[in-house]
Amino acid sequence: MTGSIVVRTTEQGLPLGIRIEASELYGKDPMQLAGEVLRLCQRSANRAGLARRKQLEAAGIGAASLAHSGLPTEAELARQEIVEEQDYDTEPQSWLRSI
């Protein structure tokens, strides 16, 4: 990961800040760049959801309640990221930071 695209999002994946290095803007299809930003926002939201799930588990929320929460488990998130990387053929060229 080079950090050439950095996305900061809410827990829901709404972008709060996007930083794109100039090298990412030259020679790239704008739709491809927009797709990458969207994908990073979604990944950030999923990772924030996992962090929230862990907080709720630590607070004593039961497994049944967590199952209905829609928050991803570690296994679900790992599976999703593997599929995403296979579809994308490369790892993302950025760092994510959810707040």
Side-chain angles (χ1 to χ4, degrees):
M1 292 188 186
T2 65
S4 58
I5 301 175
V6 178
V7 176
R8 190 171 49 93
T9 71
T10 66
E11 285 185 354
Q12 294 78 30
L14 299 173
L16 295 174
I18 300 171
R19 189 191 56 164
I20 302 173
E21 289 185 5
S23 62
E24 290 292 321
L25 299 174
Y26 298 108
K28 274 201 173 177
D29 175 35
M31 292 301 289
Q32 180 184 4
L33 183 59
E36 172 74 358
V37 169
L38 178 60
R39 188 178 67 77
L40 292 172
C41 288
Q42 291 169 338
R43 181 176 272 195
S44 179
N46 290 334
R47 288 181 179 181
L50 177 60
R52 176 68 65 203
R53 182 185 190 99
K54 288 181 179 183
Q55 288 174 340
L56 294 173
E57 286 174 343
I61 302 298
S65 295
L66 288 171
H68 292 293
S69 71
L71 297 171
T73 64
E74 284 189 55
E76 291 169 340
L77 184 61
R79 244 188 331 271
Q80 184 178 21
E81 288 186 3
I82 288 170
V83 168
E84 181 182 290
E85 287 175 8
Q86 289 172 345
D87 288 345
Y88 215 71
D89 284 336
T90 61
E91 291 189 27
Q93 297 293 311
S94 63
W95 293 94
L96 300 176
R97 188 179 107 183
S98 177
I99 61 165

